[in-house]
Amino acid sequence: MGIAKKISYLKSLGVNVLWICPFYQSPMKDNGYDVSDYYAIDPQYGTMEDMDYLIQRAKAENIKVILDLVLNHTSDQHLWFKQACADKNSKYRDYYIFKDSIDNAADLRNVFGGSTWTQIADGSWYFHTFAEEQPDLNWDNPELRQEIYKMINWWIDKGISGFRMDAITYIKKNFDTIESQSDGRIDVSKCCLNQPGIDELLQELKEQTYGRDEFFIVAEAPGVSEGDLERYIGENGHFSAIFDFSYTDIDIFPGGAWSDQRNWSIEEFKQKLFKNQYAVQKIGWAANYLENHDQPRSINKYFSKDQLLSYHEKMAKALGTLFFFLKGTPFIYQGEELGIGNTIFRDISEVDDVNSVGQYARCISEGCSHEAAMEAINRRSRDHARLPMQWNNEQYYGFSKEKPWIACNQVYTDISVEQETKQADSVLNYYKRMIHLRQRSEYSDILIYGDIAEVDTSNENVICYRRFTGNKEIYVAVNMGEQSCSLNLEANEILLGNYEMGNRKMIQNIRAYEAIVWI
Ligand code: GLC
């Protein structure tokens, strides 16, 4: 399938903004989040002409393109870093963070599990928040910042409409703030996440680049608390919206090993969801998502394993309904609209994700057996979502004629765009209906701009909310459990649901994994 056909697919789905994960030249140690040249397209994806064509085709279909900007670090194969390592006196040395020696007592754990410090041939050490192949840039260096702004403006001039800012709250470091500890590694967030001084950097970044016009800037900004929201997404905030991690990371401990499974309840999920919605709606705009390239598939995370095979379509539609009508921009991650679930990895050698590999090593070093470590990887690996897109039932699901870099999904083998397009009640066609309802129906106004409030149904497993403007309102209810629950809510009209509805005026019960939208 060529670019034009894929853009047509997005158009038929109703997508109006396309966020593309990094496609820049990269050794692909971290799925392209290790950029070795911001001005070049990695040959495995195509050429700059392809990129220009993509932007142009998307524009013709009224689809805005936003790019992923990885500004906290580069690849260790970036020319700047190579020169920094080759010559201590090169100006590029200060583009990164080097130390002659490191204090063991303040050894930090990087996000993927190992140390944040790696030694090079001349005996000095460089800092990396993520993998060792991803040295952090030194944002305190003004010349480096100018290089970054130049690059962003170059992309803006190509006609893109915004950016997704990768790991942006890590750019400011305050190493002095780390207290020495001798009991092992310290979470990197203690010194490097949302630190004092970051606002000045983000303000300058905005002024020198996307602040000059209307761009949509969505940031991956961990560490931003409710009290910080005004600075980040308020009227003169740094960004248009930020992603919320509170409920997508509900099953893990921040900075913890994946083998350390966190128990959570629907009640907690509900609380986190509405807490974020209320906080954001007071101040700005939300970026809602269940899945992205860093998450396993959502049906596996939020529902019981035992029910998955019999209910997976219902579950995918239920989750879709739940997040799609929240206040804010809903982000759909490739394949989520098909209801695809996780694959199975039998050995760590089958996994490409650098985080999974680091986590596997960490689990083993913390005493897990191979089986237990693989169990954690199967629960959490980022590769579940990164597998080739399932377009049709040809070899490699029509994704490629060549063998892809990773095995295709081994579990959800009969799912594809082609097959779901034909099936009237497929997850794909359900997503189309949701998008239509939100984007182009007589209810769009309420669903886009209306406020949100939780509706208490006194059922632990039911998440229910209403969206409203003036005297118009729309209700959404989703049963996250397998037991049918009583609701007894009146409906004038059912707008959408994942079960046969009939013409009910009274919604007495909500069935297993049922989702209903009504007025
Ligand atoms: C962000 C990306 C993730 C990547 C990391 C390092 O969290 O979403 O995929 O591994 O940054 O760039």
Side-chain angles (χ1 to χ4, degrees):
M1 259 219 241
I3 291 172
K5 270 194 173 161
K6 285 179 176 145
I7 296 281
S8 301
Y9 168 68
L10 296 176
K11 182 76 187 167
S12 73
L13 187 56
V15 165
N16 52 10
V17 180
L18 169 64
W19 150 29
I20 318 177
C21 282
F23 47 71
Y24 314 97
Q25 184 183 296
S26 163
M28 300 292 159
K29 289 290 175 198
D30 182 19
N31 192 35
Y33 285 88
D34 47 325
V35 179
S36 55
D37 185 350
Y38 293 102
Y39 295 93
I41 306 287
D42 196 87
Q44 69 175 304
Y45 297 130
T47 61
M48 193 57 83
E49 286 70 46
D50 293 331
M51 187 62 211
D52 290 334
Y53 179 64
L54 188 154
I55 298 171
Q56 177 212 322
R57 278 306 313 153
K59 201 168 242 164
E61 296 287 9
N62 272 326
I63 297 177
K64 295 189 174 0
V65 175
I66 70 176
L67 305 189
D68 215 315
L69 270 185
V70 190
L71 305 181
N72 176 66
H73 45 267
T74 65
S75 156
D76 62 352
Q77 297 307 305
H78 195 289
L79 213 60
W80 296 339
F81 189 70
K82 286 191 179 172
Q83 284 171 308
C85 290
D87 177 4
K88 244 188 168 149
N89 299 316
S90 130
K91 70 168 189 176
Y92 297 109
R93 189 76 168 194
D94 193 51
Y95 276 28
Y96 295 88
I97 301 163
F98 279 91
K99 278 192 178 187
D100 289 337
S101 62
I102 56 159
D103 179 0
N104 275 340
D107 189 7
L108 298 163
R109 185 188 301 288
N110 74 48
V111 173
F112 298 151
S115 169
T116 53
W117 294 102
T118 293
Q119 197 166 27
I120 60 165
D122 70 11
S124 54
W125 302 76
Y126 68 90
F127 180 83
H128 48 95
T129 302
F130 296 90
E132 64 177 86
E133 295 87 354
Q134 295 167 296
D136 278 37
L137 288 165
N138 175 16
W139 274 72
D140 287 332
N141 179 321
E143 201 177 330
L144 173 267
R145 299 205 299 273
Q146 286 305 323
E147 290 272 14
I148 297 278
Y149 306 152
K150 190 174 91 188
M151 176 275 288
I152 298 175
N153 287 323
W154 186 83
W155 278 106
I156 286 180
D157 291 344
K158 276 195 171 285
I160 56 102
S161 305
F163 298 102
R164 179 254 184 200
M165 311 295 282
D166 182 66
I168 196 70
T169 31
Y170 284 104
I171 60 172
K172 178 75 191 163
K173 329 286 189 226
N174 277 318
F175 293 112
D176 304 343
T177 62
I178 325 167
E179 283 168 37
S180 283
Q181 287 185 0
S182 51
D183 58 352
R185 289 189 175 138
I186 307 161
D187 185 346
V188 66
S189 65
K190 295 275 185 295
C191 66
C192 303
L193 193 56
N194 199 18
Q195 291 293 311
I198 195 169
D199 291 305
E200 289 72 22
L201 294 178
L202 294 178
Q203 244 356 80
E204 185 187 278
L205 165 67
K206 182 177 172 185
E207 276 160 27
Q208 304 250 349
T209 58
Y210 46 77
R212 61 180 151 106
D213 214 333
E214 285 278 304
F215 289 98
F216 181 65
I217 311 295
V218 57
E220 186 196 39
V224 171
S225 69
E226 211 176 307
D228 299 327
L229 280 180
E230 182 74 47
R231 285 159 40 221
Y232 277 87
I233 54 165
E235 200 162 350
N236 294 313
H238 309 310
F239 308 119
S240 320
I242 59 175
F243 293 115
D244 175 35
F245 288 85
S246 66
Y247 54 91
T248 40
D249 281 347
I250 197 166
D251 58 330
I252 47 174
F253 293 98
W258 288 349
S259 49
D260 203 0
Q261 204 175 345
R262 186 175 178 278
N263 290 324
W264 58 275
S265 63
I266 303 291
E267 194 50 51
E268 185 193 348
F269 177 39
K270 245 190 253 187
Q271 277 170 17
K272 290 197 146 90
L273 189 82
F274 290 113
K275 184 169 181 280
N276 178 260
Q277 285 277 298
Y278 292 155
V280 173
Q281 88 173 347
K282 269 196 279 175
I283 288 170
W285 193 246
N288 301 317
Y289 73 103
L290 289 169
E291 293 184 10
N292 63 26
H293 62 291
D294 290 335
Q295 296 290 332
R297 292 297 188 179
S298 51
I299 51 175
N300 295 71
K301 188 194 301 169
Y302 295 109
F303 295 113
S304 124
K305 235 186 7 221
D306 314 337
Q307 304 286 325
L308 257 181
L309 282 181
S310 24
Y311 281 101
H312 99 265
E313 277 195 25
K314 290 255 179 297
M315 291 170 169
K317 293 174 187 171
L319 277 180
T321 314
L322 174 69
F323 103 99
F324 207 78
F325 299 112
L326 294 172
K327 186 168 185 176
T329 299
F331 284 75
I332 305 166
Y333 183 75
Q334 59 159 41
E336 184 177 353
E337 79 280 19
L338 305 177
I340 293 180
N342 288 347
T343 188
I344 290 184
F345 300 108
R346 295 198 164 74
D347 191 77
I348 196 65
S349 59
E350 294 172 12
V351 175
D352 180 66
D353 165 25
V354 63
N355 197 9
S356 302
V357 173
Q359 278 284 345
Y360 179 83
R362 182 171 172 188
C363 295
I364 297 287
S365 76
E366 291 182 8
C368 285
S369 64
H370 164 78
E371 287 70 27
M374 280 316 292
E375 216 254 317
I377 298 309
N378 272 303
R379 201 174 343 100
R380 256 286 159 182
S381 180
R382 306 190 296 180
D383 272 345
H384 287 300
R386 296 176 177 185
L387 305 185
M389 175 69 177
Q390 301 186 192
W391 294 106
N392 54 40
N393 63 4
E394 288 164 24
Q395 199 183 23
Y396 311 128
Y397 297 108
F399 174 82
S400 155
K401 299 236 177 300
E402 307 290 325
K403 190 169 183 225
W405 73 104
I406 196 167
C408 295
N409 195 306
Q410 312 282 302
V411 179
Y412 291 82
T413 49
D414 53 357
I415 287 185
S416 71
V417 168
E418 192 176 85
Q419 171 266 326
E420 289 205 22
T421 304
K422 290 186 230 145
Q423 183 196 330
D425 65 347
S426 65
V427 179
L428 177 62
N429 283 318
Y430 188 85
Y431 261 78
K432 286 187 187 169
R433 287 200 282 279
M434 288 200 299
I435 296 175
H436 180 83
L437 194 60
R438 185 181 186 278
Q439 231 93 292
R440 286 182 301 275
S441 77
E442 59 184 295
Y443 307 105
S444 297
D445 234 35
I446 319 178
L447 291 173
I448 296 173
Y449 303 109
D451 274 343
I452 186 164
E454 185 181 3
V455 175
D456 183 9
T457 68
S458 308
N459 284 303
E460 204 186 312
N461 286 339
V462 176
I463 306 184
C464 184
Y465 59 86
R466 60 187 186 102
R467 299 289 312 276
F468 56 98
T469 52
N471 57 357
K472 293 190 285 182
E473 54 185 10
I474 294 185
Y475 285 80
V476 176
V478 174
N479 185 357
M480 300 288 292
E482 60 181 294
Q483 305 295 338
S484 168
C485 306
S486 71
L487 270 193
N488 291 320
L489 289 169
E490 272 178 43
N492 282 318
E493 190 188 340
I494 309 261
L495 303 180
L496 191 72
N498 61 351
Y499 273 81
E500 272 304 310
M501 288 291 162
N503 214 353
R504 294 202 271 169
K505 285 288 174 216
M506 187 67 165
I507 307 175
Q508 269 153 348
N509 294 312
I510 182 162
R511 292 160 274 191
Y513 311 109
E514 180 163 17
I516 322 174
V517 181
W518 74 96
I519 50 172

